[in-house]
């Protein structure tokens, strides 16, 4: 089983989710997403694994960066939002756990257990 966690070690929910996985005997591949650049295609695949059609559901909509880039503008398309995440990986909600073709945002951390 190859499980990946999009992780930010400075985030308490991300740390809690990683600890929860480890208590389940799972040692996921840790993806330090803030240090990476994702293509729009990669982000679209992640959205599909999450089962979402509204890209804002995988974004940090309360973050100051989201507000400063005016991403709440209702005229923006999902492609516009994916481009913004591609340019600013800090906009990606965290943590996200991926197991094969399924993914779940770890808010609350226990929600990731559904895809294990």
């Amino acid at each position: 089983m190859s499980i990946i966690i999009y992780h930010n070690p400075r985030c308490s929910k991300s740390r809690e989710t990683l600890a929860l996985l480890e208590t389940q005997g799972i040692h996921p591949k840790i993806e330090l997403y803030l240090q990476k650049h994702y293509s729009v295609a990669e982000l679209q695949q992640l959205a599909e694994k999450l089962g979402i059609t509204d890209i804002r559901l995988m974004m940090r909509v309360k973050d100051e960066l989201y507000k400063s880039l005016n991403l709440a503008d209702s005229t923006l398309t999902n492609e516009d939002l994916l481009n913004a995440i591609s340019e600013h990986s800090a906009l990606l909600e965290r943590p996200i756990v991926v197991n094969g073709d399924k993914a779940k945002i770890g808010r609350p951390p226990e929600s990731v257990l559904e895809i294990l």
Side-chain angles (χ1 to χ4, degrees):
M1 179 175 358
S2 178
I3 295 178
I4 302 166
I5 183 170
Y6 288 70
H7 182 58
N8 177 353
R10 296 183 62 199
C11 170
S12 64
K13 292 293 181 206
S14 198
R15 290 191 309 270
E16 288 172 28
T17 301
L18 178 58
L20 177 64
L21 291 173
E22 290 173 342
T23 63
Q24 299 289 315
I26 297 167
H27 300 282
K29 175 185 174 207
I30 297 174
E31 180 99 6
L32 298 174
Y33 72 94
L34 291 174
Q35 299 173 8
K36 298 201 75 166
H37 170 81
Y38 299 98
S39 70
V40 169
E42 289 172 312
L43 293 167
Q44 181 60 52
Q45 287 177 340
L46 185 57
E48 289 168 9
K49 290 178 181 185
L50 285 164
I52 61 171
T53 55
D54 179 358
I55 297 304
R56 285 183 177 88
L57 295 175
M58 63 187 264
M59 296 180 78
R60 298 182 53 77
V61 297
K62 295 179 183 174
D63 196 273
E64 192 55 43
L65 179 59
Y66 179 89
K67 294 172 186 171
S68 70
L69 293 173
N70 196 31
L71 296 174
D73 180 345
S74 62
T75 64
L76 295 175
T77 65
N78 276 344
E79 188 168 342
D80 294 329
L81 298 172
L82 289 169
N83 278 313
I85 299 170
S86 180
E87 291 175 29
H88 307 278
S89 60
L91 289 167
L92 192 60
E93 185 59 273
R94 62 182 182 249
I96 297 175
V97 174
V98 179
N99 183 7
D101 63 351
K102 295 179 183 167
K104 198 77 173 163
I105 296 172
R107 291 184 175 270
E110 297 77 20
S111 66
V112 303
L113 297 175
E114 296 173 22
I115 63 166
L116 301 181

